Amino acid sequence: MLARASYRWITVFVAILLLISLSAFFRSWENSSSRYKPSLLINSRKGPVPPAKPIIDFWAKWTKTFDKARPAIEKIEVENIASKDGSDEANGERKPSSSSLGLSEEQIHYLHKAHKIVLSQLRRSDKDLRNATARLYSGKGIVTVAGGQYMPTAIVSIRMLRKTGSKLPVQVFLQSQKEYEPEICESVLPALNAECFVIESYLPKKSPIKVTHYQLKAMAIIFSSFREVVFLDSDCIALHDPAELLDSEPYKSKGLVTWPDYWINTEDPVFYEIAGLGDLPPGMPARSRESGQLLVNKDPHLPSLILAAYYNVFGPDYYYPIFSQGVDGMGDKETFLAGAVVLGLPYYAVQEHLGPIGYMQSNKEFKGGAMVQYHAGDEYAALQAAAHNSTAAAERKKPRPSFFHANVPKMNLAQLLNLPLLFDPTVKLKNDEMPKGVRIWGPAESNVNSLGRDIEKEVWQEMLDSGCELQFVFKDWKDATKVCERGREHWREVFEKAPKGLSGIV
């Protein structure tokens, strides 16, 4: 009897230990966002998320307006790239660019005439747009554009997002059905609280309006079901939970927050004539904008997003040259601020200069690879305090880093491993010897000093974890060979042997 009772107690004890172990395991797996576990995933949907019909109908009306507002002139060619002189010192308020495309009076007339069609329709639709915002959109979330070579990059970015503890849902927009990857969209992304949408499914099938590349960003934001959006390029990493930016000033009162680029503004001053404003409006930031990250509330900024979409739809032929005049980064980056300025809607332009990230090559030349953008809330609070207190102005601290935009090269492991940039280009190869691997974002101590963490090592860990498990899944990697093996070799060379003599900068 005693032996039987003892056996029962032992059995109960072992069962309890097993339950505790299983509970700990699932808690650990649930909290871990850094590893894809296909055996534990349940596919609840086949195919991309169907487009919402009310948004399709809403956009169909604006597509017709855009088609009527097609500029009746030839494509604008940039013959002389605008000057970026003064970029390093660019602070404070924007001044008219000294460069000009030299557009004729006739070209300006037709651009203004077309622009006025959209502007008039927006003003007539003011009440309808307010109702549409309440009817079509709700909640907060993150929007990104991926597909093709940008899908592996987006996976890394989203996994890094989850490491911040962010619970914000993510909507991943693809240009077309051709970019849809079933295993990624139906298993990998749902495990990260993310879903796939296809932009072309929102567009009228017979529409003459076609969009690609830079033009996709504005479309993705408008087609997203979120009312409050954190837009992140697929190569942009959130360094903290971006939800805190949506819950604080200046976003709460402005509804649109943009960040600076490297250069001074270079838009042709004629834009303000085209837009019906006459001259450059006061208060605009001296630096051009960088749209790898953007905060926008569709209430009140749905009209400015529609106007930004118009600038993007006709961007490659007209508005990209007008906004940038051939300067590096020419694309959608100025369109979101322009939409708000033309409509007189509030916005906040972060002033803190971005932090360039890279490494010093053996030939002593700096090689850039990423940029850091800083906390809008920190800056806004400091500026408000400084405006009322001279001591606060003197003691103003640098805002915290918020975003890490790894724009060149992208965080696509298969492509990265084929780039000479990943190795010290001044080291000559001997026979089949592997060139010396380098940290392209600078040494660990530089990362830690500027960001509080070794961001390059973290990203490489995520690239390896996802890359090794999905190397035969990504469409973009169908012709790649030994991605995991070569990636691990680079890891051992760079992060375990810790090469010296290569320095980075922020």
Side-chain angles (χ1 to χ4, degrees):
M1 182 70 70
L2 183 60
R4 186 176 300 167
S6 298
Y7 177 76
R8 281 201 301 271
W9 278 111
I10 291 172
T11 302
V12 170
F13 180 71
V14 170
I16 290 172
L17 283 178
L18 182 60
L19 284 171
I20 291 172
S21 298
L22 284 171
S23 176
F25 168 76
F26 282 107
R27 275 200 310 274
S28 172
W29 176 80
E30 200 172 47
N31 292 332
S32 171
S33 61
S34 63
R35 192 168 292 278
Y36 160 55
K37 299 176 174 62
S39 62
L40 297 176
L41 300 179
I42 299 173
N43 297 338
S44 58
R45 176 188 286 116
K46 299 295 182 183
V49 178
K53 189 175 186 304
I55 294 180
I56 292 177
D57 294 341
F58 170 80
W59 186 246
K61 295 176 183 178
W62 285 101
T63 297
K64 292 178 181 178
T65 299
F66 285 8
D67 194 35
K68 291 177 184 176
R70 184 184 297 273
I73 62 171
E74 294 295 317
K75 177 180 178 180
I76 295 174
E77 302 289 349
V78 178
E79 295 183 3
N80 298 299
I81 296 175
S83 170
K84 296 182 289 186
D85 291 347
S87 291
D88 292 342
E89 301 80 29
N91 292 295
E93 194 166 315
R94 182 169 298 200
K95 297 177 182 177
S97 172
S98 60
S99 301
S100 174
L101 293 166
L103 299 181
S104 69
E105 288 298 323
E106 183 180 27
Q107 287 174 304
I108 294 170
H109 167 75
Y110 282 113
L111 284 165
H112 171 69
K113 183 179 178 180
H115 188 281
K116 191 175 180 180
I117 293 172
V118 180
L119 213 54
S120 298
Q121 185 61 44
L122 282 168
R123 287 169 177 156
R124 286 195 300 269
S125 306
D126 183 60
K127 185 177 179 181
D128 290 340
L129 289 174
R130 288 199 300 272
N131 292 335
T133 302
R135 179 170 50 89
L136 300 177
Y137 307 112
S138 63
K140 304 174 182 179
I142 292 171
V143 175
T144 191
V145 175
Q149 64 177 317
Y150 302 111
M151 186 63 88
T153 302
I155 295 296
V156 172
S157 177
I158 297 170
R159 286 160 65 107
M160 290 293 290
L161 170 75
R162 295 303 174 219
K163 289 182 70 172
T164 71
S166 177
K167 298 296 192 295
L168 287 172
V170 178
Q171 294 183 347
V172 179
F173 281 82
L174 315 175
Q175 179 179 347
S176 67
Q177 187 66 37
K178 291 179 181 178
E179 293 185 333
Y180 186 78
E181 302 188 42
E183 189 166 346
I184 301 296
C185 290
E186 296 165 19
S187 293
V188 179
L189 286 172
L192 296 167
N193 192 18
E195 297 179 297
C196 286
F197 298 75
V198 174
I199 287 175
E200 73 173 4
S201 65
Y202 289 83
L203 304 175
K205 292 184 178 178
K206 296 182 179 180
S207 170
I209 304 296
K210 305 299 179 185
V211 292
T212 185
H213 201 43
Y214 292 122
Q215 300 161 296
L216 301 174
K217 188 178 299 184
M219 303 296 139
I221 295 173
I222 292 172
F223 297 158
S224 166
S225 64
F226 301 135
R227 183 177 299 176
E228 298 185 64
V229 171
V230 178
F231 182 87
L232 296 178
D233 275 354
S234 62
D235 55 7
C236 189
I237 296 169
L239 298 175
H240 59 75
D241 184 354
E244 70 177 75
L245 294 170
L246 298 179
D247 295 332
S248 60
E249 293 291 352
Y251 169 80
K252 295 290 285 184
S253 61
K254 306 296 184 183
L256 176 67
V257 178
T258 70
W259 275 264
D261 208 335
Y262 286 105
W263 308 287
I264 198 168
N265 64 294
T266 57
E267 77 275 12
D268 189 327
V270 78
F271 167 72
Y272 301 103
E273 183 180 344
I274 291 167
L277 298 179
D279 298 320
L280 173 71
M284 292 184 69
R287 284 181 173 253
S288 61
R289 300 291 90 188
E290 191 269 305
S291 60
Q293 55 291 303
L294 185 77
L295 309 182
V296 62
N297 189 338
K298 294 172 185 174
D299 180 17
H301 276 283
L302 183 58
S304 72
L305 286 171
I306 292 170
L307 189 52
Y310 174 72
Y311 296 145
N312 278 282
V313 165
F314 297 110
D317 288 349
Y318 308 109
Y319 284 99
Y320 294 167
I322 289 172
F323 284 134
S324 296
Q325 298 194 74
V327 169
D328 297 339
M330 188 169 77
D332 63 84
K333 67 194 191 81
E334 294 295 324
T335 61
F336 299 98
L337 177 63
V341 168
V342 171
L343 294 174
L345 291 171
Y347 65 89
Y348 183 80
V350 174
Q351 299 177 24
E352 185 71 34
H353 291 193
L354 62 81
I357 296 285
Y359 75 98
M360 199 66 70
Q361 299 176 120
S362 296
N363 60 9
K364 305 304 180 183
E365 290 185 6
F366 177 73
K367 187 72 174 179
M371 59 185 85
V372 177
Q373 296 285 11
Y374 294 93
H375 200 288
D378 286 358
E379 177 183 272
Y380 183 80
L383 289 173
Q384 292 296 304
H388 301 94
N389 187 315
S390 58
T391 302
E395 296 176 352
R396 181 182 164 195
K397 296 180 180 178
K398 193 180 186 73
R400 288 172 289 163
S402 281
F403 300 104
F404 186 90
H405 192 178
N407 57 324
V408 181
K410 309 298 183 187
M411 298 172 291
N412 180 321
L413 184 58
Q415 292 187 2
L416 200 56
L417 290 167
N418 290 329
L419 294 178
L421 174 71
L422 199 61
F423 311 103
D424 187 340
T426 63
V427 175
K428 295 181 179 179
L429 299 179
K430 296 178 181 178
N431 302 323
D432 293 326
E433 241 179 76
M434 192 79 165
K436 183 179 181 182
V438 300
R439 293 176 55 106
I440 60 174
W441 297 336
E445 58 268 26
S446 176
N447 279 200
V448 173
N449 289 339
S450 58
L451 303 172
R453 57 206 279 199
D454 185 351
I455 190 70
E456 183 162 4
K457 189 173 184 179
E458 287 183 35
V459 169
W460 264 92
Q461 185 64 67
E462 295 299 334
M463 283 197 296
L464 282 176
D465 281 355
S466 59
C468 288
E469 295 182 57
L470 301 171
Q471 64 178 324
F472 302 115
V473 176
F474 288 126
K475 283 184 178 181
D476 185 57
W477 293 5
K478 67 182 189 309
D479 298 322
T481 57
K482 298 181 179 180
V483 175
C484 183
E485 179 183 333
R486 291 160 59 213
R488 284 176 173 159
E489 171 62 29
H490 183 77
W491 174 274
R492 286 190 292 270
E493 185 71 33
V494 174
F495 299 104
E496 291 180 3
K497 294 182 180 180
K500 299 178 180 180
L502 301 168
S503 59
I505 185 171
V506 172

